[in-house]
C-alpha cells in the first residue's frame, strides 16, 4: 500500500458497533439522495479526472471529518481467497504522494485499473462513509453521512444476516451495528 501513499496501521475489530460492518459498507453505492448521499462524478474523457477525483476525496474527508485527531481513518481492504472473499477494516493514514484514484486503482488494491476506483473509507467514530465507484463512462467519489441511519445499508445488513451463512464474528458485528 505504500506505493499508493497509504499506510495500513492495524486491523479494526469486526465487532465495533459504531462503524458500518465492512460487508455492509460495500453496499453504499446503492444509497441514494434519501440517505444524504453527495456525489462528485468525473467523466472518463476528462484528462484531469484522476487529480480531480483525489482532490474530491480529500475535500470530502476534510469537510465531513473522516480523519481523527491523528490523521487516521478506516479503509476497507479485501482479502480474497478462492473460496472466501472478505473485506476488513484497517486503520490507515495517507502519506506523501498518495493517489487513491490513479495508482491505488491501478495496483488493483483500491479499484480495477487506472481511473477505475472501487474503495470504501469510514471515520472511526462512525459518522461518515466516503467511497469511490466506477461506472460505464465515469467514476464517482461520494459521501454517505450518518451511514448507520441509511435505510439501504440497514436493509443490506439485515439481508446479510438472513440470507447468507456468516462466520460468527461477522454475524456478531452486523447484529451489534443494527442494535440487535
Amino acid at each position: 500500500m505504500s506505493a499508493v501513499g497509504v499506510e495500513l496501521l492495524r486491523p479494526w475489530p469486526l465487532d465495533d458497533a459504531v462503524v458500518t460492518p465492512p460487508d455492509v459498507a460495500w453496499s453504499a453505492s446503492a444509497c441514494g439522495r434519501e440517505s444524504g448521499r453527495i456525489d462528485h462524478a468525473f467523466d472518463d474523457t476528462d484528462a484531469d479526472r484522476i487529480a480531480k477525483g483525489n482532490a474530491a476525496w480529500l475535500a470530502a474527508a476534510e469537510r465531513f471529518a473522516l480523519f481523527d485527531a491523528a490523521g487516521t481513518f478506516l479503509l476497507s481492504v479485501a482479502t480474497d481467497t478462492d473460496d472466501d472473499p472478505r473485506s476488513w477494516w484497517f486503520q490507515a493514514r495517507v502519506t506523501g504522494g498518495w493517489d487513491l484514484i490513479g495508482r491505488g486503482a491501478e495496483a488493483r488494491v483500491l479499484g480495477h485499473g487506472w481511473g477505475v476506483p472501487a474503495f470504501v473509507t469510514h471515520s472511526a467514530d462512525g459518522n461518515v462513509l466516503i467511497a469511490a465507484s466506477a461506472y460505464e463512462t465515469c467514476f464517482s467519489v461520494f459521501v454517505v453521512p450518518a451511514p448507520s441511519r441509511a435505510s439501504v445499508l440497514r436493509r443490506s445488513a439485515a439481508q446479510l444476516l438472513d440470507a447468507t451463512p456468516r462466520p460468527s464474528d461477522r454475524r456478531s458485528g452486523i447484529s451489534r451495528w443494527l442494535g440487535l
Side-chain angles (χ1 to χ4, degrees), residues 12-72:
W12 199 257
L14 283 174
D15 62 354
D16 180 332
V18 175
V19 174
T20 309
D23 298 341
V24 175
W26 280 95
S27 300
S29 62
C31 288
R33 295 205 185 278
E34 75 284 349
S35 298
R37 178 177 167 158
I38 301 166
D39 268 289
H40 301 282
F42 303 93
D43 193 270
D44 289 347
T45 61
D46 183 345
D48 295 327
R49 72 188 185 284
I50 304 300
K52 288 178 181 177
N54 282 322
W57 179 83
L58 181 59
E62 291 172 343
R63 177 178 173 204
F64 290 94
L66 177 72
F67 305 120
D68 65 13
T72 69

Side-chain angles (χ1 to χ4, degrees), residues 73-87:
F73 60 96
L74 302 180
L75 174 66
S76 180
V77 177
T79 56
D80 294 330
T81 62
D82 291 339
D83 59 341
D84 193 17
R86 294 194 184 160
S87 293

Side-chain angles (χ1 to χ4, degrees), residues 23 83-86 156-172 174-175:
D23 298 341
D83 59 341
D84 193 17
R86 294 194 184 160
S156 175
Q159 289 170 350
L160 284 172
L161 284 177
D162 290 344
T164 23
R166 304 230 85 49
S168 62
D169 58 347
R170 292 200 177 251
R171 291 187 67 76
S172 171
I174 293 170
S175 294

Side-chain angles (χ1 to χ4, degrees), residues 25-30 37 39-42 44 57 101 105 110-112 115-120 130-143:
W26 280 95
S27 300
S29 62
R37 178 177 167 158
D39 268 289
H40 301 282
F42 303 93
D44 289 347
W57 179 83
I101 306 294
L110 302 174
H112 306 290
V116 188
F119 63 85
V120 181
I130 303 174
S133 188
Y135 305 97
E136 190 171 318
T137 61
C138 67
F139 69 84
S140 174
V141 174
F142 62 92
V143 177

